[in-house]
Amino acid sequence: MTPATLIRTGAKNVLRQVGRTSAALTAVVFGVVSMILATGFIDWNLEFGRDHSIESQLGHLQVMKPGFLEFGRSDPHAYLLPARAASDLARLDTLPGYRVDAPRLLISGLASSGDITLSFIGEGVDPTAEAILSASLRFPQGRNLVSGEPNTVIVGSGLAENLQAGIGDPLVLIATTATGGISAVEARVVGIFESIFKAYDDVSLRIPLPLARELMRTEGEHLRLVLLQQVDQTGDAVQQLRNTLPSGHYQVVPWEDMADLHNKSVELFSRQVAVIDLIIAVIIVLAISNAMTMAVMERVGEIGTLMAMGNRRSDILGIFLAEGCILGLLGAGAGLALGTLLGLLISAIGIPMPPGPTMTWGYEAGIRLSPGNLFKAAAIALFTTIVASLYPAWKASRLRIVDALRTRQ
């Protein structure tokens, strides 16, 4: 038989076995839809966490002094960017996808409100640039820092609660200078913020960069953060900076090298998705294999007649494999259509999500319908359907003509 004849014969057999075909297609469609929704839901949540980390704390990349990640917090005065940084970093706006860059001066010490004094970590920031770079910060009370208000502070929700500090309250910040002395400044609370990470909100605050320099008795900055248009542009931007900045004076770090929690979440959920895909693949294989095996048992006489008419065993094998391929294509197509429709509908409605163990607030999740996930779901369905058809097709092709014709009689 020619390939066209095999496909035509296989299609006729699929159409005439309505009940069995419907059962097999239901399994394939269910598998494809399940993979699309499960993978899309996990990807949406990972992307949500990634974007909020980038747009509240990390930026897409950071420029720092070499060794800062390892020792900068313990010895902040030794890891300021060099004095020439202003000129060296003047052309950041030439990076691919550039949106904004922002300096940060890391600060730490004690925060005092009334009779309560607690330790804090924080940053001195440029309010104008941070309005864009930290757009994902939420303010249940008050507002963000603005230019022209030097003695102001925004406080993480957990730290503000522990300090019993509210909007308008004065906050005294105390830090150690490079010479080992004590420095203090006073700032007025103008906002209480929430990021995606509760642990960060429990200890953090932000003040304008000039006030941070006054507190630390220093000039300069520890970090220069860069926000781009797209995450995919990070690699090119990092490479460009590494090629242009003086070697030995700067370290350029992409966001993923600092997002430890995100990376661990990706690893964990990737394993879970692999398990889901395996379970669904087994379900499809069992369903299709059962349907094809039943078809072979019911059509033994028909198979004998075909072989008696001169059809080769390879033709019989091809007919049943064609049936499996057609079932796979139909199931994958219907599953893609239904999965995409359900994904769009669920995303429009939203999935209420409570705050996770590391989060401050809940949110509404959706389904991410990426071309890669859609292709993977269809490919798994088609592949497993073909694999499930192999044994029944081989079994059908190995029947003896005499036994098959006797069954027909």
Side-chain angles (χ1 to χ4, degrees):
M1 291 186 184
T2 64
T5 303
L6 291 175
I7 294 172
R8 187 165 53 249
T9 304
K12 289 180 180 178
N13 291 333
V14 168
L15 293 175
R16 72 176 182 173
Q17 302 291 333
V18 178
R20 190 172 296 110
T21 297
S22 298
L25 285 179
T26 298
V28 178
V29 171
F30 170 79
V32 174
V33 171
S34 298
M35 284 187 283
I36 290 174
L37 296 184
T39 306
F41 174 72
I42 290 173
D43 282 359
W44 192 98
N45 280 276
L46 291 175
E47 186 175 289
F48 176 82
R50 179 200 69 190
D51 291 345
H52 274 261
S53 295
I54 289 172
E55 295 179 3
S56 63
Q57 297 180 39
L58 302 177
H60 286 102
L61 62 92
Q62 296 183 12
V63 181
M64 62 191 69
K65 191 173 181 178
F68 174 82
L69 286 180
E70 294 80 10
F71 310 109
R73 281 289 181 187
S74 60
D75 191 6
H77 296 284
Y79 287 90
L80 292 167
L81 288 175
R84 57 184 287 183
S87 58
D88 289 340
L89 301 177
R91 300 299 303 277
L92 288 175
D93 56 359
T94 64
L95 294 174
Y98 171 87
R99 286 180 63 189
V100 69
D101 65 278
R104 282 190 186 169
L105 178 66
L106 301 191
I107 57 177
S108 61
L110 298 175
S112 181
S113 175
D115 297 330
I116 302 175
T117 300
L118 297 172
S119 61
F120 74 89
I121 60 171
E123 299 103 5
V125 300
D126 176 357
T128 302
E130 289 291 339
I132 302 172
L133 196 147
S134 298
S136 289
L137 284 183
R138 296 188 177 190
F139 286 86
Q141 299 181 50
R143 55 171 172 78
N144 206 343
L145 298 171
V146 296
S147 298
E149 296 182 355
N151 294 90
T152 52
V153 58
I154 57 174
V155 187
S157 57
L159 181 59
E161 181 179 355
N162 292 331
L163 286 170
Q164 298 181 14
I167 302 301
D169 290 346
L171 209 61
V172 177
L173 307 179
I174 305 170
T176 304
T177 66
T179 59
I182 300 298
S183 174
V185 297
E186 183 175 305
R188 178 173 54 89
V189 178
V190 296
I192 296 175
F193 67 82
E194 294 177 345
S195 71
I196 193 173
F197 297 115
K198 184 178 184 300
Y200 178 77
D201 301 340
D202 287 344
V203 296
S204 298
L205 56 80
R206 291 182 178 181
I207 58 178
L209 188 58
L211 186 62
R213 288 171 174 165
E214 179 184 346
L215 175 64
M216 301 297 289
R217 296 291 191 268
T218 188
E219 295 296 328
E221 59 198 79
H222 286 113
L223 304 170
R224 183 66 66 89
L225 279 67
V226 179
L227 188 68
L228 307 173
Q229 297 289 346
Q230 301 290 337
V231 175
D232 296 341
Q233 297 166 321
T234 304
D236 293 337
V238 168
Q239 191 60 49
Q240 180 175 320
L241 279 178
R242 287 175 177 172
N243 292 337
T244 57
L245 291 177
S247 60
H249 294 281
Y250 302 95
Q251 182 180 4
V252 183
V253 183
W255 68 270
E256 57 263 32
D257 288 359
M258 299 172 285
D260 184 61
L261 179 60
H262 173 80
N263 294 334
K264 290 179 179 177
S265 298
V266 170
E267 182 180 356
L268 173 63
F269 285 123
S270 296
R271 294 175 181 174
Q272 293 179 347
V273 168
V275 172
I276 292 172
D277 291 345
L278 178 61
I279 292 173
I280 292 174
V282 170
I283 292 174
I284 293 176
V285 167
L286 292 177
I288 299 298
S289 180
N290 178 68
M292 297 292 290
T293 300
M294 292 299 296
V296 170
M297 294 175 62
E298 293 178 359
R299 291 157 55 188
V300 170
E302 177 186 329
I303 293 169
T305 301
L306 288 173
M307 289 191 291
M309 293 172 61
N311 290 291
R312 296 169 297 179
R313 296 185 184 276
S314 60
D315 294 331
I316 305 302
L317 178 69
I319 290 174
F320 281 91
L321 285 179
E323 291 182 29
C325 290
I326 292 169
L327 285 173
L329 288 171
L330 290 176
L336 284 176
L338 182 58
T340 300
L341 180 62
L342 287 175
L344 293 173
L345 180 62
I346 291 172
S347 296
I349 297 173
I351 306 172
M353 298 291 294
T358 64
M359 295 181 62
T360 306
W361 33 264
Y363 59 96
E364 285 195 352
I367 305 295
R368 185 173 183 269
L369 299 171
S370 67
N373 286 339
L374 296 176
F375 175 80
K376 185 188 77 170
I380 290 176
L382 183 59
F383 175 76
T384 52
T385 303
I386 294 173
V387 169
S389 305
L390 288 175
Y391 176 72
W394 176 84
K395 186 176 181 180
S397 68
R398 305 313 299 173
L399 289 174
R400 296 176 59 193
I401 298 178
V402 174
D403 294 337
L405 290 175
R406 184 181 300 115
T407 300
R408 181 180 179 89
Q409 296 172 353

